[in-house]
Amino acid sequence: MSEPIKIDVWSDIACPWCFIGKRRFEGGSGLFAGAGEGRAVEVEYHSFELSPDTPVDFDGSEVDFLAGHKGIPAEQVGEMLERVTGIASSLGLNYDYDNLKHTNTVKAHELLHFAKANGKQLELAERLFSAYFEQGRHVGRIEDLADLAAEVGLDRAEALAALESSQYLEDVRADQRTAAEFGINGVPFFVIDGKYGVSGAQEAQTFAQVLEQVWTERQAVTA
């Protein structure tokens, strides 16, 4: 059996296209895996903060934040959110911007590194995205994050201690430095097999094609 194709994903929990991109990549990797024996991928998430200056407890709606932060007219923001909500819905995601709690995501990124160290990163990424976009949960406060960690089978007390001590903050910063070195200035960004970069929430078929290309190249080398 061949080694799984490594997928490094730079994303932010507060990025609506990152959750959409996650679903589309899962669709594409499923198409790829179903095309023949021995095909597999290994996914690792890396930290990227879209708005690092956001307060943990932002007083206002997502419209308020985007209108203030990006300088976009509120009416236009509403149209943007409606569009992205429709695209998410087509993938089975139920974005709820009325109840979304905008927050700083650095602690969520620290928790993803804690989860990686404990073999639960993919489960936690899914949980955080859903909690933020679909369930109106707070993903910026450490107590709330520890609760979410426990929900995917991580030790709550250990997660809380890691967040309180900022144990994984340097890992977050290292991811961000690597993103800067790669020239990544928007997310989601997928690095496939360490050599191909795919920017944005591409369609599932696009991901499947890139994976197929990497697979074909590998077979040519080992033939």
Side-chain angles (χ1 to χ4, degrees):
M1 170 150 336
S2 298
E3 287 290 315
I5 295 175
K6 179 72 185 299
I7 316 297
D8 293 285
V9 187
W10 272 262
S11 72
D12 192 358
I13 292 304
C15 164
W17 291 103
C18 291
F19 201 8
I20 289 168
K22 182 178 187 295
R23 277 293 181 277
R24 287 179 172 173
F25 176 79
E26 289 165 351
S29 62
L31 291 171
F32 165 72
E37 291 293 322
R39 296 158 181 247
V41 300
E42 176 189 337
V43 179
E44 180 177 339
Y45 280 89
H46 299 276
S47 306
F48 191 101
E49 289 179 274
L50 285 172
S51 302
D53 56 344
T54 305
V56 172
D57 292 300
F58 176 75
D59 184 19
S61 67
E62 185 73 353
V63 173
D64 295 332
F65 177 80
L66 290 173
H69 190 80
K70 304 286 189 184
I72 306 170
E75 182 179 345
Q76 189 177 338
V77 171
E79 292 170 357
M80 288 167 49
L81 297 184
E82 186 175 341
R83 175 173 172 263
V84 77
T85 297
I87 293 170
S89 179
S90 73
L91 296 164
L93 304 176
N94 300 304
Y95 284 12
D96 182 3
Y97 277 107
D98 290 338
N99 292 304
L100 182 148
K101 294 177 176 59
H102 198 87
T103 187
N104 189 290
T105 58
V106 69
K107 286 295 178 185
H109 286 297
E110 290 180 36
L111 189 63
L112 282 166
H113 279 280
F114 169 80
K116 181 174 74 172
N118 289 276
K120 292 275 189 179
Q121 192 192 44
L122 298 187
E123 294 90 338
L124 183 69
E126 176 71 21
R127 188 71 197 91
L128 289 174
F129 276 129
S130 180
Y132 184 73
F133 282 108
E134 300 182 304
Q135 299 169 349
R137 300 278 293 272
H138 204 299
V139 301
R141 302 184 194 123
I142 61 175
E143 291 284 348
D144 297 82
L145 285 167
D147 290 341
L148 290 165
E151 289 176 22
V152 298
L154 291 162
D155 185 286
R156 187 185 188 281
E158 289 181 8
L160 190 63
L163 292 171
E164 287 176 338
S165 67
S166 298
Q167 180 180 350
Y168 292 93
L169 179 58
E170 177 50 34
D171 295 285
V172 173
R173 300 302 182 223
D175 277 352
Q176 293 169 329
R177 287 193 295 270
T178 301
E181 290 166 6
F182 284 174
I184 298 170
N185 52 26
V187 288
F189 194 93
F190 301 78
V191 176
I192 299 176
D193 211 30
K195 56 184 178 180
Y196 292 107
V198 178
S199 178
Q202 302 293 329
E203 295 292 341
Q205 191 62 46
T206 300
F207 287 117
Q209 289 168 354
V210 177
L211 291 168
E212 186 66 36
Q213 180 179 340
V214 170
W215 177 263
T216 301
E217 289 172 2
R218 279 191 179 187
Q219 301 314 299
V221 169
T222 57

